[in-house]
Amino acid sequence: QVQLVESGGGLVQAGSSLRLSCATSGRTFTDYSMAWFRQAPGKEREFVAVINWNGGIRDYADSVKGRFTISRDNAKNTVNLQMNSLKPEDTAVYYCAARVGTISAYTFGYDYWGQGTQVTVSS
């Protein structure tokens, strides 16, 4: 069992940056691949970024490549999402997720989820 708590969301203007963090507790953090997903109103939850246990493998949705960076600090049991050049279409609730084993871009592959943090980007 692992608990996930996101923070760092907010209201920003287009072109700005935000850094989301996800603090974890419970089982050994390095057992998990960690990911960020997001869900906009009226839309399905979608993949944003994922990182494997040691940070050696990362993957991103095409819509955020070159703008977002996922990272993890295994000493602090946290995973972060640095979001630059934000666009109004990035507006969504962002969720942190954890799964044992290799990375996945599918929501059904994840066993644990945080409560989400709202990101709103104004034009």
Side-chain angles (χ1 to χ4, degrees), residues 75-95:
K76 296 181 179 180
N77 293 351
T78 58
V79 61
N80 302 302
L81 186 68
Q82 178 67 42
M83 305 186 296
N84 298 329
S85 303
L86 282 162
K87 304 175 181 180
E89 50 264 44
D90 294 318
T91 295
V93 177
Y94 283 71
Y95 297 91

Side-chain angles (χ1 to χ4, degrees), residues 28-121:
T28 304
F29 185 56
T30 50
D31 285 346
Y32 296 92
S33 291
M34 301 296 299
W36 289 94
F37 290 80
R38 67 187 182 186
Q39 187 167 18
K43 295 187 177 182
E44 293 187 353
R45 194 169 297 188
E46 64 175 6
F47 167 73
V48 175
V50 64
I51 189 167
N52 77 326
W53 73 276
N54 66 355
I57 301 173
R58 310 180 197 203
D59 195 18
Y60 299 91
D62 288 344
S63 58
V64 307
K65 279 181 181 176
R67 300 189 298 123
F68 290 12
T69 302
I70 189 170
S71 62
R72 66 190 293 160
D73 186 334
N74 287 343
K76 296 181 179 180
N77 293 351
T78 58
V79 61
N80 302 302
L81 186 68
Q82 178 67 42
M83 305 186 296
N84 298 329
S85 303
L86 282 162
K87 304 175 181 180
E89 50 264 44
D90 294 318
T91 295
V93 177
Y94 283 71
Y95 297 91
C96 176
R99 72 185 300 269
V100 174
T102 59
I103 63 171
S104 172
Y106 300 99
T107 56
F108 59 76
Y110 287 81
D111 302 305
Y112 305 103
W113 294 84
Q115 82 289 350
T117 186
Q118 177 70 46
V119 172
T120 303
V121 184

Side-chain angles (χ1 to χ4, degrees), residues 3 20 79 97:
Q3 293 76 44
L20 304 183
V79 61

